Amino acid sequence: MENKRLYSPTHIKDILDRYGFKFSKSLGQNFLIDGNIVRKIVEEAAINKDTYVLEIGPGIGTLTEELALNAKKVLAVELDKSLLPILEESLQAYNNVEIINGDILEIDINKIIEEKLNGGPIKVVANLPYYVTTPIIGKLLEEDLNIESINVMVQKEVAERMIAQPGSKNYGSLSVFVSFYTDAKIVIKVPNTVFMPKPKIDSAVIKLEIKKDLPDIDREKFFKIVKAGFSKRRKTIINSLSSYGFDIEKDLIRKALEESKIDPQTRAENISVEEFMKLSTVFPPLNI
Ligand code: SAM
């Protein structure tokens, strides 16, 4: 395939002019214009001719094209209807690409995997719209889908929060959530110059490898306790948990902390995922 030039800024401008397309800030539209980054994203995701890929937000198809050249099949979900005719033109040379118009947060992803991606396992690859990064990652992880890895561009600060370890200032409920489900790392640091229009912030590509055997715990209870623990970062864990509104006596909370070998005077930012998990198993039942 000769036509590998979707990422050239002049080509993008030409497409946008011809279709009268206007970037939507509210849909997080910052398109990639750097071929090296596009290739690196696909390389880091280790896509090959056996890989089924779900892409979120193909834009004008820049990353989609590189994925199509390397993968077995790419299924891309784009919310913005006005991009559909553009995608049709820019990806016409590829017969292993399918575009669905819809909101990734509303779509039944399990059904898509079953019906359009051979049942999985799949890899998710995307330059995510920043305004919905966390809900999208949340949905992909919580629904127990047949996903092998999630390889996505996110805001640099969000990437740092996702991979943060106990004791660091970025460690919080998002870090615990991501670490419960995945092995996470930052694979590429990306300057804002590779996008059109240029966002104010820097970005990073993060790789989340989904863990196969998740601990058999009450996840809802576990995540509520984590959220409560981090609700007042400056307070001790005993005070955060007892003032959260669980309506559980402080002494019972202290007992659960001690049983989990967590110092009641420490703060949530020093508590590991394993310690939070242990705590959730001995914590009194929650009424909220
Ligand atoms: N992949 C393209 C690229 O890298 O050049 C575009 C990435 S741009 C950061 C994000 C894309 O996600 C836009 O095309 C936007 O319209 C789309 N989008 C925004 N919200 C979405 C949603 N909820 N579901 C699906 N696509 C969405």
Side-chain angles (χ1 to χ4, degrees):
M1 308 243 176
E2 297 289 333
N3 186 25
K4 280 184 67 184
R5 55 191 179 90
L6 277 178
Y7 42 75
S8 124
T10 39
H11 183 64
I12 292 179
K13 277 198 187 115
D14 167 58
I15 289 195
L16 301 186
D17 283 350
R18 279 193 291 115
Y19 284 89
F21 178 82
K22 302 244 175 326
F23 290 103
S24 157
K25 213 172 167 186
S26 63
L27 285 179
Q29 290 177 342
N30 300 97
F31 296 166
L32 283 165
I33 52 167
D34 183 309
N36 288 329
I37 294 287
V38 171
R39 280 187 292 273
K40 193 103 202 293
I41 294 173
V42 175
E43 200 181 299
E44 287 292 348
I47 305 297
N48 63 45
K49 282 290 168 202
D50 294 324
T51 318
Y52 287 86
V53 178
L54 170 65
E55 188 193 3
I56 298 161
I60 62 159
T62 314
L63 182 57
T64 325
E65 178 177 52
E66 188 65 24
L67 288 166
L69 285 164
N70 289 278
K72 173 110 175 165
K73 178 169 180 189
V74 185
L75 193 279
V77 178
E78 174 56 59
L79 177 58
D80 186 349
K81 259 202 177 77
S82 66
L83 286 167
L84 298 187
I86 301 179
L87 284 163
E88 203 165 308
E89 177 188 319
S90 57
L91 299 169
Q92 61 188 340
Y94 304 92
N95 58 12
N96 59 344
V97 177
E98 190 176 340
I99 308 288
I100 294 181
N101 178 220
D103 183 341
I104 194 68
L105 293 173
E106 303 291 331
I107 274 178
D108 183 342
I109 303 179
N110 194 35
K111 197 161 162 226
I112 288 186
I113 296 177
E114 283 305 321
E115 291 178 1
K116 302 197 178 279
L117 293 169
N118 204 36
I122 65 155
K123 290 187 179 182
V124 177
V125 184
N127 170 15
L128 286 180
Y130 291 168
Y131 77 108
V132 275
T133 300
T134 325
I136 292 175
I137 303 268
K139 176 170 173 162
L140 292 172
L141 295 180
E142 274 170 343
E143 293 188 358
D144 291 330
L145 303 163
N146 193 2
I147 298 178
E148 199 177 324
S149 66
I150 300 173
N151 309 267
V152 287
M153 176 99 70
V154 300
Q155 216 174 308
K156 187 169 137 254
E157 286 71 22
V158 176
E160 283 164 351
R161 277 166 45 217
M162 284 188 195
I163 63 155
Q165 297 295 316
S168 100
K169 69 172 175 20
N170 291 320
Y171 184 67
S173 48
L174 182 64
S175 332
V176 176
F177 181 81
V178 167
S179 157
F180 176 78
Y181 285 105
T182 77
D183 290 313
K185 61 179 175 194
I186 289 177
V187 288
I188 318 172
K189 291 192 173 154
V190 185
N192 66 355
T193 47
V194 305
F195 300 96
M196 181 194 285
K198 202 159 69 168
K200 287 202 178 72
I201 37 132
D202 285 335
S203 304
V205 177
I206 190 153
K207 183 176 189 109
L208 309 177
E209 288 193 86
I210 313 296
K211 289 180 183 166
K212 290 221 163 57
D213 298 305
L214 293 178
D216 186 16
I217 59 167
D218 177 346
R219 286 187 217 168
E220 201 187 344
K221 185 179 180 195
F222 166 60
F223 288 122
K224 272 186 186 159
I225 292 170
V226 171
K227 192 171 164 216
F230 283 102
S231 61
K232 305 219 171 54
R233 289 187 76 96
R234 309 216 60 77
K235 280 196 180 183
T236 60
I237 187 71
I238 178 88
N239 285 342
S240 298
L241 293 176
S242 56
S243 63
Y244 189 71
F246 285 142
D247 197 21
I248 295 169
E249 276 179 36
K250 200 167 179 175
D251 272 352
L252 289 176
I253 294 179
R254 186 186 309 281
K255 200 166 153 258
L257 286 165
E258 283 168 358
E259 233 180 297
S260 319
K261 311 242 175 324
I262 298 171
D263 176 358
Q265 298 309 315
T266 195
R267 294 190 184 138
E269 66 196 41
N270 296 315
I271 301 174
S272 70
V273 180
E274 291 71 27
E275 286 169 326
F276 269 121
M277 282 198 281
K278 169 80 180 133
L279 178 62
S280 74
T281 61
V282 298
F283 208 80
L286 303 181
N287 58 3
I288 57 167

Coordinates of all heavy atoms in Angstrom, one line a residue, residues 27-32 55-59 62 77-80 83 102-104 127-129 131, ligand 1:
L27 N -15.1 17.3 21.9 CA -15.0 15.9 21.7 C -13.5 15.4 21.8 O -13.1 14.3 21.4 CB -15.5 15.5 20.3 CG -17.0 15.5 20.1 CD1 -17.4 15.1 18.7 CD2 -17.7 14.5 21.1
G28 N -12.7 16.3 22.3 CA -11.3 16.0 22.5 C -10.5 15.7 21.2 O -9.7 14.8 21.1
Q29 N -10.8 16.5 20.2 CA -10.2 16.2 18.9 C -8.8 16.8 18.7 O -8.7 18.0 18.3 CB -11.2 16.6 17.7 CG -12.4 15.6 17.7 CD -13.4 16.0 16.7 OE1 -13.4 17.1 16.2 NE2 -14.3 15.1 16.4
N30 N -7.8 16.1 18.9 CA -6.4 16.5 18.7 C -5.8 15.4 17.8 O -5.6 14.3 18.4 CB -5.6 16.7 19.9 CG -6.2 17.7 20.8 OD1 -7.0 17.4 21.8 ND2 -6.0 19.0 20.5
F31 N -5.7 15.6 16.5 CA -5.3 14.5 15.6 C -3.7 14.4 15.5 O -3.0 15.4 15.6 CB -5.8 14.7 14.2 CG -7.4 14.7 14.2 CD1 -8.1 15.2 13.1 CD2 -8.1 14.2 15.3 CE1 -9.4 15.1 13.0 CE2 -9.5 14.1 15.2 CZ -10.2 14.6 14.1
L32 N -3.3 13.2 15.4 CA -1.8 13.0 15.3 C -1.3 13.4 13.9 O -1.9 13.1 12.9 CB -1.5 11.5 15.5 CG -1.6 11.0 16.9 CD1 -1.6 9.5 17.0 CD2 -0.3 11.5 17.7
E55 N -10.2 0.1 18.0 CA -9.7 1.5 18.2 C -10.8 2.4 18.6 O -11.9 2.2 18.1 CB -9.1 2.0 16.9 CG -8.4 3.3 17.1 CD -8.0 4.2 15.8 OE1 -8.3 3.7 14.7 OE2 -7.5 5.2 16.0
I56 N -10.5 3.3 19.5 CA -11.5 4.2 20.0 C -11.2 5.6 19.4 O -10.1 6.1 19.7 CB -11.6 4.3 21.6 CG1 -11.9 2.9 22.1 CG2 -12.5 5.3 22.1 CD1 -11.5 2.6 23.5
G57 N -12.1 6.2 18.7 CA -11.9 7.5 18.2 C -10.9 7.6 17.1 O -9.8 8.1 17.3
P58 N -11.2 7.0 15.9 CA -10.2 7.0 14.8 C -9.9 8.4 14.2 O -8.9 8.6 13.5 CB -10.8 6.1 13.7 CG -12.3 6.1 14.0 CD -12.4 6.3 15.5
G59 N -10.8 9.4 14.4 CA -10.5 10.7 13.9 C -10.6 10.7 12.4 O -11.6 10.3 11.8
T62 N -5.7 8.3 10.9 CA -4.3 8.2 10.9 C -3.7 7.0 11.6 O -2.9 6.3 11.0 CB -3.7 9.5 11.6 OG1 -4.5 10.6 11.2 CG2 -2.3 9.7 11.4
V77 N -14.4 2.7 16.6 CA -15.7 3.3 17.1 C -15.5 4.8 17.1 O -14.7 5.3 17.9 CB -16.1 2.8 18.5 CG1 -17.4 3.5 18.9 CG2 -16.3 1.3 18.4
E78 N -16.2 5.6 16.3 CA -16.1 7.0 16.2 C -17.5 7.7 16.5 O -18.5 7.4 15.9 CB -15.6 7.5 14.9 CG -15.6 9.0 14.6 CD -14.7 9.7 15.6 OE1 -13.5 9.5 15.8 OE2 -15.3 10.6 16.3
L79 N -17.4 8.6 17.5 CA -18.7 9.3 17.9 C -19.1 10.4 16.9 O -20.3 10.6 16.7 CB -18.4 9.9 19.3 CG -19.6 10.7 19.9 CD1 -20.9 9.9 20.0 CD2 -19.2 11.2 21.3
D80 N -18.2 11.1 16.3 CA -18.5 12.2 15.5 C -18.9 11.8 14.0 O -18.1 11.4 13.2 CB -17.2 13.1 15.4 CG -17.5 14.5 14.7 OD1 -18.6 14.6 14.1 OD2 -16.7 15.3 14.8
L83 N -17.1 12.8 10.7 CA -15.9 12.2 10.3 C -16.1 10.9 9.4 O -15.1 10.4 8.8 CB -15.0 11.8 11.5 CG -14.4 12.9 12.3 CD1 -13.9 12.5 13.7 CD2 -13.2 13.5 11.5
G102 N -20.7 5.6 17.0 CA -21.3 5.5 18.3 C -20.4 6.0 19.4 O -19.3 6.4 19.2
D103 N -21.0 6.0 20.6 CA -20.3 6.4 21.8 C -19.7 5.2 22.5 O -20.5 4.3 22.9 CB -21.3 7.2 22.7 CG -20.6 7.8 23.9 OD1 -19.5 7.3 24.3 OD2 -21.2 8.7 24.5
I104 N -18.4 5.1 22.6 CA -17.8 4.0 23.2 C -18.3 3.7 24.6 O -18.4 2.6 25.1 CB -16.2 4.1 23.2 CG1 -15.6 2.7 23.5 CG2 -15.7 5.1 24.2 CD1 -15.7 1.7 22.5
N127 N -5.7 6.9 20.5 CA -5.3 8.2 21.0 C -6.6 8.7 21.6 O -7.5 9.2 20.9 CB -4.8 9.0 19.8 CG -4.6 10.5 20.2 OD1 -4.6 10.9 21.3 ND2 -4.5 11.3 19.2
L128 N -6.8 8.5 22.9 CA -8.1 8.8 23.6 C -8.5 10.2 23.6 O -7.6 11.1 23.9 CB -8.1 8.2 25.0 CG -8.1 6.7 25.2 CD1 -8.1 6.3 26.6 CD2 -9.3 6.1 24.5
P129 N -9.8 10.5 23.5 CA -10.3 11.8 23.8 C -10.1 12.1 25.3 O -10.6 11.3 26.1 CB -11.8 11.8 23.4 CG -12.1 10.3 23.4 CD -10.9 9.5 23.1
Y131 N -11.2 14.1 27.5 CA -12.3 14.4 28.5 C -13.0 13.2 29.0 O -13.7 13.2 30.0 CB -13.3 15.3 27.8 CG -14.2 14.7 26.8 CD1 -15.6 14.4 27.1 CD2 -13.8 14.2 25.6 CE1 -16.4 13.8 26.3 CE2 -14.6 13.6 24.7 CZ -15.9 13.4 25.0 OH -16.8 12.7 24.2
Ligands
SAM1 N1 -7.2 8.7 16.4 C1 -7.2 10.0 15.9 C2 -5.7 10.5 15.8 O1 -4.9 10.0 16.6 O2 -5.4 11.4 15.0 C3 -8.0 11.0 16.7 C4 -7.8 11.0 18.1 S1 -8.7 12.3 18.9 C5 -7.6 12.6 20.3 C6 -10.1 11.5 19.7 C7 -11.1 11.0 18.8 O3 -12.2 10.4 19.6 C8 -11.9 12.0 18.0 O4 -12.0 11.6 16.7 C9 -13.3 12.2 18.7 O5 -14.3 12.5 17.8 C10 -13.5 10.7 19.2 N2 -14.4 10.6 20.3 C11 -14.6 11.5 21.3 N3 -15.5 11.0 22.2 C12 -15.8 9.7 21.8 C13 -16.6 8.7 22.4 N4 -17.3 8.9 23.5 N5 -16.7 7.5 21.7 C14 -16.0 7.3 20.5 N6 -15.2 8.3 20.0 C15 -15.1 9.4 20.6

